[in-house]
Amino acid sequence: MEKLVIEGGKPLSGAIRIHGAKNAALPILAASIMAEGTITIENVPDLSDIHVMLGILRALGCKAELVGDNVTVSTNAVHQFHIPESLMSQMRSSIFLMGPLLSRLGRVELYQPGGCAIGERKIDLHLQGLAALGALIEENGSQIVCTANELQGAEIVLDYPSVGATENIMMAAAMARGMTTIINAAREPEIQDLQNFLNAMGARIIGAGTDTITIEGVSELTPCTYRIIPDRIVAGTMMIAAAVTRGNVTLEKVCPAHLTSAIHVLKRAGVQITINGDIMNVCALSRPKSVERIVTSPYPSFPTDLQSQIMVLLSLADGVSIVKETVFEGRFKHVDELSRMGADIRVDLNSAYIRGVPRLYGATVEATDLRAGAALVIAGLAAQGSTVIEQIHHIDRGYDRIELMLASLGAGIHRTTPVPTE
């Protein structure tokens, strides 16, 4: 298995361009099958999750290719409604094919999705929303079969503002007969990006970014060329990495409006942040200050996907901080690994109490999930000595060669590949 080796203690310095958002690209790739023809999607990151989604599209009959950061999808030959379990098990976002396949073929057969083990993430809201639009849903063990001769618009009230459920319902409703209203919809920027993509293909959707989305169904969608938004979680990770190493980093091609909560927390910790359009400079010349309390919650609150990374900063801050996780109950697995590096963190139920220490120390640690892996990379950058991170396939799901991004900023980091033995 590949590993990341980091020699810590080097302040990050320089400029870096933030790549496209994984969590925007995946539902947009799924939605591409709703139009017959060739769709071009720009600014797509080269990630393992993206390749899994492209594999699923090919299994459905598409021609799908990633060249540079552009994906071309030819959907004329889509005929297959069965998604192989081997692909479903690799990535939770494969669930996004439910709405598009119901719209295109009137049937979808798939399995409970895989992904990072960060707590219970049921798909009940997806199924309830599709059922409200008229889909017949049958569950047989881990297999799910959804059929619909014609989807019909409806008013759907979500019990929780689930990003995935909001997006799946949006896609299914885009070609349903009549009007659909999603109440208590998730408000994430990636949902706005999906709305903009669907509208570019001819859909009629308004309200993304608010808690009420209205969709007027259309009879068909047509191909388009579309550019993905920058990845706010990658940008947030790099901001925290700059702060933890007491560096000076300029981020290019970012959307600061998507990072308001992260910017607010970092400024409370004493980090200097200046913004000029889509360029952001992050500078930290001294030890960070503790932040009394951070609570993760759906957008626009502080994102759960930056919780583990900000905990590294707080581990080195002057004082005691509290982080409360309200989204995923299994998202403190990185705490044990950070403790092995010298962090002083105590977990009580869904809250972590962090007493800042003067320094962290290099160790051999394991990435238990995508964002925990990113946190360990940041910790390794700040630590005294050498850090080895194992199970880095998790990191590759969300960061396009993170070691190259960081090395371009002066980090001592490289990837090792084991030599095969006979």
Side-chain angles (χ1 to χ4, degrees):
M1 300 291 288
E2 293 184 322
K3 302 176 183 180
L4 289 176
V5 179
I6 304 170
E7 293 298 328
K10 298 180 180 180
L12 298 185
S13 178
I16 186 171
R17 175 183 173 273
I18 299 301
H19 63 64
K22 178 195 82 157
N23 289 336
L26 290 171
I28 285 173
L29 285 170
S32 68
I33 68 171
M34 297 172 65
E36 287 194 48
T38 301
I39 295 95
T40 300
I41 304 171
E42 301 172 344
N43 201 30
V44 178
D46 187 0
L47 308 172
S48 57
D49 273 11
I50 295 295
H51 287 283
V52 172
M53 180 62 80
L54 295 179
I56 292 174
L57 293 178
R58 295 185 192 108
L60 298 175
C62 296
K63 294 180 180 178
E65 185 177 18
L66 173 64
V67 178
D69 63 357
N70 293 337
V71 168
T72 302
V73 183
S74 178
T75 67
N76 291 313
V78 171
H79 65 281
Q80 179 60 261
F81 47 73
H82 179 86
I83 303 176
E85 187 172 15
S86 59
L87 292 173
M88 287 288 305
S89 64
Q90 295 180 45
M91 182 184 65
R92 181 174 177 79
S93 297
S94 49
I95 201 72
F96 287 130
L97 272 302
M98 295 180 73
L101 281 173
L102 276 175
S103 292
R104 177 76 183 264
L105 301 178
R107 184 179 178 92
V108 57
E109 297 178 1
L110 72 173
Y111 301 83
Q112 290 284 349
C116 281
I118 55 175
E120 191 173 30
R121 295 191 286 177
K122 294 182 179 179
I123 63 169
D124 294 7
L125 296 179
H126 298 251
L127 301 180
Q128 291 168 11
L130 296 176
L133 295 173
L136 177 64
I137 298 170
E138 301 176 46
E139 296 186 63
N140 181 17
S142 64
Q143 187 180 46
I144 302 167
V145 179
C146 301
T147 55
N149 292 328
E150 182 181 65
L151 296 173
Q152 179 69 44
E155 180 177 278
I156 300 169
V157 181
L158 294 177
D159 294 335
Y160 180 85
S162 161
V163 175
T166 299
E167 292 175 330
N168 231 334
I169 295 166
M170 283 173 62
M171 291 185 280
M175 294 174 66
R177 181 181 295 275
M179 300 289 293
T180 297
T181 303
I182 307 173
I183 299 172
N184 196 30
R187 301 163 59 187
E188 273 71 5
E190 294 79 13
I191 291 171
Q192 299 176 52
D193 214 29
L194 177 61
Q195 171 186 273
N196 294 341
F197 172 70
L198 291 169
N199 286 347
M201 293 200 298
R204 297 174 182 170
I205 307 174
I206 60 173
T210 75
D211 61 4
T212 302
I213 299 174
T214 303
I215 305 112
E216 180 183 352
V218 298
S219 59
E220 68 173 349
L221 298 177
T222 55
C224 71
T225 297
Y226 188 80
R227 186 171 183 83
I228 299 293
I229 58 173
D231 196 309
R232 61 192 173 99
I233 304 303
V234 171
T237 300
M238 293 299 151
M239 292 168 69
I240 296 169
V244 164
T245 61
R246 302 187 191 182
N248 188 339
V249 172
T250 298
L251 306 181
E252 301 172 348
K253 299 296 183 183
V254 297
C255 185
H258 297 168
L259 291 158
T260 301
S261 61
I263 292 170
H264 177 65
V265 167
L266 285 170
K267 285 185 174 180
R268 286 165 61 194
V271 180
Q272 300 174 32
I273 298 173
T274 56
I275 298 169
N276 182 14
D278 65 352
I279 298 174
M280 183 185 306
N281 179 260
V282 182
C283 181
L285 302 178
S286 59
R287 185 181 184 186
K289 296 181 290 187
S290 62
V291 178
E292 182 179 349
R293 185 175 174 85
I294 300 172
V295 180
T296 67
S297 195
Y299 188 87
S301 297
F302 192 85
T304 181
D305 281 353
L306 286 177
Q307 176 256 102
S308 55
Q309 298 94 310
I310 200 68
M311 199 177 288
V312 179
L313 180 80
L314 301 177
S315 295
L316 291 164
D318 183 11
V320 177
S321 308
I322 301 172
V323 174
K324 183 176 181 180
E325 173 63 49
T326 72
V327 181
F328 295 124
E329 76 277 7
R331 204 149 214 181
F332 283 151
K333 293 183 178 179
H334 54 282
V335 169
D336 287 344
E337 302 301 295
L338 290 177
S339 297
R340 298 179 64 196
M341 300 178 72
D344 183 357
I345 305 172
R346 179 174 62 85
V347 173
D348 183 11
L349 299 177
N350 62 345
S351 293
Y353 300 84
I354 306 129
R355 185 180 301 277
V357 297
R359 65 186 60 83
L360 298 175
Y361 299 91
T364 297
V365 291
E366 179 179 322
T368 54
D369 61 70
L370 167 56
R371 306 306 174 185
L376 295 176
V377 170
I378 294 173
L381 295 173
Q384 180 177 310
S386 178
T387 297
V388 178
I389 304 176
E390 301 177 335
Q391 302 296 324
I392 63 172
H393 62 279
H394 290 297
I395 301 172
D396 292 337
R397 292 185 50 238
Y399 298 86
D400 188 350
R401 303 295 291 196
I402 194 170
E403 73 277 13
L404 299 184
M405 285 192 279
L406 292 167
S408 72
L409 298 174
I413 180 173
H414 68 276
R415 180 182 296 246
T416 65
T417 303
V419 178
T421 57
E422 296 184 5

